[in-house]
Amino acid sequence: MKKKERLFRWCWIFAGALGIGAAVAISGQKEETKKDAAVEAVSDSPPKAPEDSEPKKIALTFDDGPHPVYTEQMLELLEKEQVPATFFLLGQNIEKHGDVVKEISEKGHLIGNHTYHHVQITNLSAAQAYEEINKTSNLIEDLTGKGTEYVRPPFGTWNDGLESDLNLIPVMWTIDTLDWTTRNVDWIVNQVVKKAKENDIILMHDSYKSTVQAVERIIELLEADGFEFVTVDEVIMD
C-alpha cells in the first residue's frame, strides 16, 4: 500500500505540474494576443525615439487637390503642427480653387503637377501628354509666381524621356495609404505607421475628412518615433 500511495502521490504532483504549465502557456498566449491587438490598434502612447538619434526624413504627399474644404483643413493642421508637405494638384481643380493654391504656396508647402484631367500618361500621345502637364504647370506659375519642378503621374505610369522634354522630375511613392478606398481612420494610420522607414514618400489625398484625421495621428506617432517631416524634394535629392 505504501508503494501505491507514493505512486499516486507522485502522479498527483506530476499532474499538478502539467496543469500549472498549461495555465502558464495559456496565459502567455493571451498576453501575446493582447499585444498583437494593441499593435493593430496603434498605441495612443507611442514609443519615443532615443534622444541622441538623428531624425529620419519622411514626406507627406497629397494628390488630386485642391479641395475647397479638406485642403483648407489639412493646411490648418499642418500649420498647427509646423509640418511641411507636398501637394500634387490637378489643373481642373486649380482653375476652380485658385485661392487655395495660393495659400498652399504662401504657407511654404511644395506644389507639384498631377496633370490637368487626372489622365494616364501612357495612354496619351506625346502631344497630349505635353498639353496635360504644361497647362497645369502654367496655371501653378500664374497663381504662385513660381514654376514647379515635380510631376506625379496619375496611376504611377510614365513614359521614359518625358521628364527631359518637360524639364520635370517624376515623383512616385513608397507607401500607398489607399485612403480613397476607406473612411476608416485607424486603418489609414496603420498603413503608414506599421511600414514607415527613413526617406519614405507617403501617398494620400487631401479630399477626405478621414485623411485629415489620420494625418493628425500619423504626425504625432511618427514624430515620437524620431521622424522629421520634409517636402518631397528633400527626400529624392538626399
Side-chain angles (χ1 to χ4, degrees):
M1 289 295 294
K2 290 184 179 180
K3 288 184 179 180
K4 287 184 179 180
E5 287 176 2
R6 283 199 296 270
L7 180 59
F8 279 125
R9 188 178 298 117
W10 281 111
C11 286
W12 278 111
I13 293 171
F14 182 65
L18 286 177
I20 292 169
V24 170
I26 291 169
S27 175
Q29 288 173 355
K30 288 181 179 178
E31 288 301 316
E32 288 300 318
T33 302
K34 289 178 182 177
K35 288 177 183 177
D36 291 343
V39 170
E40 286 298 322
V42 182
S43 173
D44 289 331
S45 301
K48 292 186 178 180
E51 292 183 4
D52 58 348
S53 62
E54 288 292 323
K56 299 171 287 188
K57 291 181 180 178
I58 197 164
L60 287 172
T61 68
F62 302 99
D63 287 7
D64 294 359
H67 187 279
V69 176
Y70 298 120
T71 301
E72 289 278 8
Q73 291 183 10
M74 191 69 75
L75 289 171
E76 290 175 9
L77 170 62
L78 296 173
E79 184 174 31
K80 182 185 76 171
E81 299 295 338
Q82 292 296 290
V83 165
T86 305
F87 292 80
F88 290 98
L89 307 181
L90 289 173
Q92 60 187 357
N93 289 338
I94 292 172
E95 289 195 326
K96 297 174 187 174
H97 311 295
D99 55 333
V100 183
V101 179
K102 290 179 181 178
E103 186 178 356
I104 293 170
S105 178
E106 289 166 359
K107 290 189 173 178
H109 303 291
L110 185 66
I111 294 177
N113 190 316
H114 199 43
T115 74
Y116 188 88
H117 292 105
H118 201 275
V119 290
Q120 190 160 352
I121 293 295
T122 50
N123 290 340
L124 305 180
S125 67
Q128 289 172 323
Y130 297 150
E131 170 89 17
E132 281 282 334
I133 294 168
N134 284 330
K135 187 175 181 180
T136 302
S137 288
N138 291 338
L139 287 169
I140 294 169
E141 186 166 7
D142 289 345
L143 285 166
T144 67
K146 298 177 286 188
T148 182
E149 301 176 25
Y150 304 95
V151 58
R152 170 165 285 162
F155 313 105
T157 60
W158 183 250
N159 286 333
D160 291 340
L162 274 178
E163 61 266 27
S164 57
D165 294 338
L166 293 165
N167 198 29
L168 291 172
I169 300 171
V171 178
M172 303 302 179
W173 55 86
T174 57
I175 296 177
D176 187 352
T177 62
L178 298 173
D179 57 340
W180 58 275
T181 67
T182 180
R183 302 297 185 270
N184 186 318
V185 175
D186 287 339
W187 190 86
I188 297 169
V189 172
N190 273 323
Q191 283 291 102
V192 176
V193 174
K194 291 171 67 176
K195 299 176 182 178
K197 60 186 183 301
E198 187 170 13
N199 291 326
D200 267 335
I201 298 173
I202 303 165
L203 169 59
M204 309 186 87
H205 299 80
D206 51 324
S207 307
Y208 311 102
K209 182 179 181 179
S210 53
T211 299
V212 178
Q213 294 170 331
V215 167
E216 184 170 18
R217 289 175 55 192
I218 287 166
I219 290 172
E220 177 190 359
L221 290 164
L222 291 189
E223 284 187 336
D225 196 26
F227 284 92
E228 175 188 13
F229 291 94
V230 297
T231 49
V232 78
D233 53 326
E234 292 192 47
V235 170
I236 63 178
M237 296 300 183
D238 192 1

